[in-house]
């Protein structure tokens, strides 16, 4: 799960060592350390990485072709490697782990910031409603494909665009007020930084972390944003079913069709054509399979045939394709299940 400061600090990750033995684990970020579990329902962690005096390196190039890796080096010089499922997930985790390390160094407790206190946001401002208006397809902020530093950013917009939209829609009287609102949306996780400049601004700790600049790129938190040229997962592929825009990606548990066991798989959902590809998250290989979603049905379920009780953690959903093939999947949380079902339903109706 992409870790945002407004969400619970946990998610599925791939961890490894210098022996190149990688395993999927459940990771929890606490006040003073990173705990990792074999699965979400385990009561005690397999281990804990103390963050006092730790250093985080991202991106980590120690594994050659293996992408999306970051490294935590403890005060005792022990190295721990983690691989995210996509770029945005890695950036969110690295940002919050850095923040936790800085809090420990400063003698403070790592906790979610209060946006209203930090930027004096008026109580009358409803950021959720403002975000909904910004995403309106007709009158909202337009999502574009922008090129910067040999990378193509899809479904994003500039800081200047946001500021000018807020003023034109009379949500702010001037640029300083618009910057205050935009910073509130950024701190609350509604807007996310896309390029290096925007990310530096977000991590600067300044009162207005949002940048009113044409080269500062941002995107909606629940959009289909992806960046080409950042990793092998986003390369432009010739195969027809890979040509659609990436709508959503992340790790889910998938039940096998033969042995009926559950394994962590990385899923990438694309539209037009409507496909969901799944990969072994411990390897940088071709997809293990694909689900053609055109005309499919997806629903939340509470029961899976042929599944053992101790294999089921809840948050189940089922995809039935137009060819009557059944896929059973488990999300990490109830909210994540809702997001996947909503995204798949939209793609199955609109994609070809």
């Amino acid at each position: 799960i992409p870790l945002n400061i407004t969400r619970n600090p946990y998610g599925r990750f791939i961890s490894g060592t210098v022996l190149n033995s990688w395993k999927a684990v459940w990771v929890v970020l606490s006040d003073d350390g990173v705990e990792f579990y074999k699965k979400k329902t385990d009561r005690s962690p397999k281990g804990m990485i103390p963050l006092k005096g730790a250093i985080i390196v991202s991106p980590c190039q120690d594994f050659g072709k293996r992408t999306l890796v970051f490294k935590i080096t403890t005060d005792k010089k022990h190295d721990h490697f983690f691989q995210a499922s996509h770029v945005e997930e890695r950036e969110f985790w690295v940002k919050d782990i850095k923040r936790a390390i800085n809090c420990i160094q400063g003698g403070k407790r790592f906790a979610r910031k209060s946006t209203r206190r930090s930027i004096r946001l008026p109580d009358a401002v409803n950021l959720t409603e403002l975000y909904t208006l910004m995403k309106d397809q007709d009158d909202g902020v337009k999502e574009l494909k922008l090129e910067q530093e040999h990378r193509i950013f899809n479904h994003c917009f500039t800081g200047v665009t946001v500021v000018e939209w807020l003023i034109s829609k009379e949500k702010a009287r001037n640029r300083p007020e618009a910057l205050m609102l935009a910073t509130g949306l950024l701190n609350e996780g509604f807007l996310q930084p896309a390029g290096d400049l925007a990310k530096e601004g977000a991590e600067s700790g300044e009162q207005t972390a949002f940048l009113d600049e044409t080269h500062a790129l941002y995107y909606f938190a629940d959009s289909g944003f992806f960046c080409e040229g950042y990793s092998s997962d986003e390369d432009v592929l010739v195969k027809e079913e890979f040509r659609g825009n990436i709508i959503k990606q992340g790790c889910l548990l998938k039940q096998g069709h033969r042995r009926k066991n559950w394994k962590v798989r990385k899923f990438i959902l694309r539209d037009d054509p409507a496909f969901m590809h799944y990969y072994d998250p411990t390897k940088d290989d071709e997809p293990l399979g694909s689900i053609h979603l055109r005309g499919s049905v997806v629903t939340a379920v509470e029961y899976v045939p042929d599944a053992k009780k101790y294999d089921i953690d809840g948050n189940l959903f089922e995809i039935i394709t137009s060819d009557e093939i059944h896929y059973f999947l488990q999300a990490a949380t109830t909210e994540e299940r809702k997001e996947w079902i909503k995204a798949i339903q939209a793609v199955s109706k609109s994609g070809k």
Side-chain angles (χ1 to χ4, degrees):
I1 305 170
L3 173 64
N4 187 297
I5 194 64
T6 64
R7 302 182 186 177
N8 293 327
Y10 55 71
R12 286 197 180 96
F13 260 90
I14 312 303
S15 67
T17 67
V18 290
L19 299 176
N20 206 22
S21 174
W22 294 82
K23 293 183 178 180
V25 294
W26 181 260
V27 178
V28 176
L29 175 60
S30 62
D31 294 342
D32 57 357
V34 175
E35 299 175 345
F36 50 96
Y37 300 74
K38 185 176 180 179
K39 57 182 181 178
K40 185 184 70 170
T41 54
D42 288 350
R43 293 187 176 182
S44 58
K46 293 181 64 178
M48 196 275 277
I49 304 169
L51 292 179
K52 184 177 182 180
I55 299 172
I56 186 167
V57 176
S58 177
C60 174
Q61 306 295 339
D62 293 22
F63 293 92
K65 291 184 178 180
R66 183 174 287 276
T67 60
L68 307 176
V69 175
F70 63 89
K71 176 174 69 174
I72 301 175
T73 302
T74 67
D75 189 41
K76 295 183 177 180
K77 307 304 179 185
H78 294 158
D79 292 335
H80 301 268
F81 301 89
F82 293 88
Q83 182 183 25
S85 62
H86 55 279
V87 175
E88 294 75 49
E89 179 180 53
R90 183 187 66 187
E91 296 303 314
F92 284 137
W93 275 90
V94 169
K95 176 181 176 181
D96 281 347
I97 292 173
K98 282 183 178 179
R99 185 176 295 170
I101 293 172
N102 292 335
C103 286
I104 294 170
Q105 292 175 345
K108 300 178 181 179
R109 182 181 177 85
F110 172 64
R112 181 175 178 272
K113 291 183 178 180
S114 172
T115 297
R116 294 188 183 276
R117 284 202 303 270
S118 62
I119 63 172
R120 299 178 183 178
L121 195 64
D123 292 335
V125 174
N126 187 320
L127 292 178
T128 302
E129 291 183 1
L130 183 59
Y131 178 66
T132 302
L133 292 173
M134 291 182 72
K135 291 197 64 182
D136 185 271
Q137 293 185 352
D138 296 322
D139 296 324
V141 174
K142 304 301 180 186
E143 297 176 276
L144 305 171
K145 178 184 288 189
L146 301 174
E147 185 173 357
Q148 189 179 99
E149 298 176 353
H150 307 294
R151 287 179 285 171
I152 298 175
F153 296 85
N154 296 269
H155 300 283
C156 70
F157 38 83
T158 69
V160 169
T161 300
V162 173
V163 169
E164 292 182 348
W165 181 88
L166 290 167
I167 295 173
S168 67
K169 300 300 179 182
E170 299 182 350
K171 304 301 178 183
R173 292 173 295 180
N174 48 48
R175 298 193 91 84
E177 281 192 4
L179 266 177
M180 179 184 68
L181 288 174
T183 299
L185 290 163
L186 182 68
N187 288 350
E188 293 295 307
F190 292 107
L191 302 181
Q192 299 293 337
D196 294 336
L197 180 62
K199 290 176 183 177
E200 289 175 7
E203 296 178 6
S204 66
E206 298 293 330
Q207 189 173 24
T208 52
F210 191 90
L211 301 180
D212 181 13
E213 299 185 24
T214 55
H215 295 294
L217 304 181
Y218 300 89
Y219 64 94
F220 296 127
D222 55 354
S223 73
F225 169 80
F226 69 99
C227 175
E228 296 175 48
Y230 220 127
S231 75
S232 58
D233 289 333
E234 282 90 37
D235 288 343
V236 179
L237 303 176
V238 177
K239 199 172 181 181
E240 174 66 24
E241 64 188 56
F242 290 93
R243 290 182 179 175
N245 292 327
I246 295 179
I247 303 301
K248 188 173 178 61
Q249 55 184 318
C251 287
L252 296 166
L253 282 169
K254 174 184 175 294
Q255 187 190 50
H257 278 107
R258 293 183 180 179
R259 297 183 179 180
K260 304 299 181 183
N261 56 344
W262 295 84
K263 291 186 177 181
V264 176
R265 294 289 180 243
K266 175 183 175 180
F267 285 83
I268 298 182
L269 174 64
R270 292 180 172 90
D271 67 352
D272 198 20
F275 274 90
M276 192 157 80
H277 298 89
Y278 52 94
Y279 303 74
D280 181 345
T282 65
K283 301 176 182 178
D284 292 315
D285 295 334
E286 291 294 310
L288 299 174
S290 64
I291 306 173
H292 191 191
L293 297 172
R294 177 63 176 172
S296 65
V297 177
V298 55
T299 55
V301 296
E302 304 301 327
Y303 168 77
V304 176
D306 303 319
K308 298 177 182 179
K309 289 185 178 180
Y310 57 79
D311 287 335
I312 305 298
D313 294 336
N315 304 314
L316 299 162
F317 63 98
E318 178 185 16
I319 299 174
I320 305 175
T321 68
S322 58
D323 297 328
E324 295 295 326
I325 300 175
H326 295 243
Y327 294 87
F328 291 99
L329 307 170
Q330 288 189 55
T333 64
T334 303
E335 186 61 31
E336 183 184 12
R337 177 173 69 172
K338 289 180 181 177
E339 292 174 358
W340 273 105
I341 290 175
K342 182 179 179 181
I344 294 170
Q345 286 177 337
V347 168
S348 67
K349 295 176 181 177
S350 60
K352 60 184 179 182

